[in-house]
Amino acid sequence: MSQRADDGRFMQDALALARRGLGRTAPNPAVGAVVVRGGEVVGRGWTRPVGGPHAEVVALADAGERATGATLYVTLEPCCHYGLTPPCTDAIVAAGIHRCVVAVADPFPAVNGGGIAHLCLAGVAVAVGVADQAARDLSAGFFTRVRTGRPLVTAKYAMTLDGRIATATGHSRWITGDKARRSVHLMRDRTDAIMVGAGTVVADDPALTTRLPMDQAGDGGPHHPLRVVVDGRGSSALSARVFARDLPARRLVATTTRAPCEWAASLAEDGVELVTCGDGPSVDLGVLLDELGRRGVNTLLVEGGHRLHGSLFDGGLVDRVAAFVAPVLVGGADAPGPVGGRGVESTSAAIQLTGVRVRRLGCDVLVEGAVDKPAARRDA
């Protein structure tokens, strides 16, 4: 069915609602929906945490009887199968929706066009493709996990104008200013998991929590992502803040058979989950990403040091980059840069970013982009 002049406007409303669920819906995607009747939005909804209602059901309940004969705008194709909740397509048909506008089809095998077909067979007029790229970007983590079995990996770091993430003595607080650090917490609020290496735990002792005012966080207040530590040798102190039981969010340590048994047993006794990813001395990051994908993690924010970032880039495991650049210089031949590892042998082989965006955050600059990969590995 063809699109209408005001479809784009109402789909933007649905996309704004979907963003309220980012970081909170895994393994499901963050989806938004609005019910429109007579040119007026009469129902709004976004997907609740796993096991809760999907965006369409929430919006239909909000609209009530006004849903009859109305148009439903939804950022992702409605589901047509039984999972933890009944099919959204059944609810749409039962509510008497006349027309359904879908931003993008759902790549999940149990849906993948089936939801659209179900609605059409039930006599609901369907239009697909309104604001499709914006919807793909919003659900990129879900799309990536469905396609690859792994989460969307974003390498985030803060560096000086001369490309250092710390001084030669290891001091790194703070490179960027308040606005940039607040932006980092917004990223944490919208991601499913956050990951650092043992070197960062030893050097910075981070808590990896989300510190935002209630009015700046997503739905239900600040979201604290799963805390993941990569430590193949068991060098992180058991007293490190990232392992603290009284901090919010679950804790997971990826290690190897080289880690001391006593160290691993102590973490396990404290309720920390451990996964063995290889025989060491380094964690097999591909195996770790597979495990996170199996756990339903759609998005992973990596705030590691140059070793962890270097290993991820060397392995072709990074999907996006978020680089904060501060207008300061520290110098020092031994001061570390953000990405270590083997690197490339020539500038012609340098990793390229696409869809680059540059934002000013106070005196600092944030450069974001997607890693340009072979076509077979790019997001759908």
Side-chain angles (χ1 to χ4, degrees):
M1 183 177 179
S2 62
Q3 299 178 16
R4 299 177 182 174
D6 54 0
D7 283 351
R9 175 166 61 92
F10 290 123
M11 188 60 76
Q12 290 303 317
D13 292 340
L15 287 165
L17 290 168
R19 294 186 186 98
R20 299 182 64 167
L22 287 172
R24 294 155 172 80
T25 62
N28 296 326
V31 178
V34 295
V35 179
V36 177
R37 183 171 180 175
E40 176 188 0
V41 175
V42 297
R44 297 174 174 84
W46 60 93
T47 297
R48 298 306 196 250
V50 62
H54 293 184
E56 302 93 318
V57 173
V58 177
L60 291 171
D62 188 37
E65 294 181 355
R66 294 173 295 178
T68 302
T71 297
L72 173 69
Y73 293 83
V74 61
T75 59
L76 188 69
E77 177 184 6
C79 66
C80 55
H81 67 292
Y82 281 90
L84 294 178
T85 59
C88 289
T89 50
D90 288 354
I92 294 169
V93 173
I97 288 293
H98 169 71
R99 180 172 180 259
C100 183
V101 181
V102 177
V104 64
D106 188 339
F108 189 63
V111 185
N112 196 21
I116 294 170
H118 181 105
L119 292 176
C120 291
L121 287 172
V124 179
V126 179
V128 183
V130 177
D132 58 338
Q133 191 56 56
R136 289 174 185 274
D137 290 343
L138 190 143
S139 296
F142 175 73
F143 277 56
T144 298
R145 186 176 63 82
V146 169
R147 191 187 72 252
T148 68
R150 296 174 173 178
L152 180 84
V153 177
T154 298
K156 169 264 162 186
Y157 51 84
M159 69 179 187
T160 63
L161 200 58
D162 55 343
R164 300 330 200 255
I165 59 172
T167 66
T169 63
H171 188 267
S172 60
R173 292 188 177 179
W174 295 99
I175 289 176
T176 54
D178 290 342
K179 289 187 177 180
R181 294 199 295 273
R182 190 178 307 118
S183 181
V184 171
H185 285 284
L186 284 170
M187 290 180 179
R188 291 181 180 181
D189 182 65
R190 296 174 177 179
T191 196
D192 299 330
I194 182 171
M195 187 166 80
V196 297
T200 296
V201 173
V202 172
D204 298 338
D205 194 21
L208 301 184
T209 55
T210 301
R211 297 181 290 280
L212 285 174
M214 287 288 292
D215 61 345
Q216 294 183 19
D219 185 39
H223 161 72
H224 303 279
L226 168 70
R227 307 194 301 269
V228 181
V229 174
V230 177
D231 190 343
R233 296 177 179 270
S235 56
S236 302
L238 296 173
S239 60
R241 289 200 299 165
V242 72
F243 299 139
R245 183 190 289 268
D246 60 349
L247 290 179
R250 294 175 295 123
R251 302 156 293 165
L252 185 146
V253 171
T255 188
T256 70
T257 56
R258 301 285 185 90
C261 294
E262 298 82 359
W263 176 83
S266 294
L267 288 174
E269 288 174 5
D270 196 41
V272 178
E273 293 183 83
L274 286 96
V275 292
T276 301
C277 303
D279 295 325
S282 299
V283 168
D284 186 321
L285 295 173
V287 171
L288 172 57
L289 293 181
D290 288 338
E291 175 62 25
L292 293 175
R294 281 191 291 271
R295 290 168 179 252
V297 173
N298 291 325
T299 52
L300 174 66
L301 182 65
V302 182
E303 296 192 22
H306 67 286
R307 292 186 183 88
L308 180 56
H309 281 147
S311 296
L312 287 166
F313 276 106
D314 284 348
L317 302 175
V318 177
D319 299 294
R320 292 183 177 178
V321 173
F324 293 85
V325 184
V328 298
L329 300 92
V330 299
D334 296 327
V339 182
R342 298 187 306 273
V344 299
E345 296 182 357
S346 66
T347 55
S348 62
I351 297 170
Q352 302 287 326
L353 298 185
T354 62
V356 175
R357 296 188 305 164
V358 180
R359 283 193 289 151
R360 182 84 174 264
L361 297 167
C363 293
D364 306 313
V365 172
L366 170 60
V367 181
E368 297 177 284
V371 174
D372 190 18
K373 295 184 177 183
R377 299 185 60 186
R378 291 179 187 164
D379 283 354

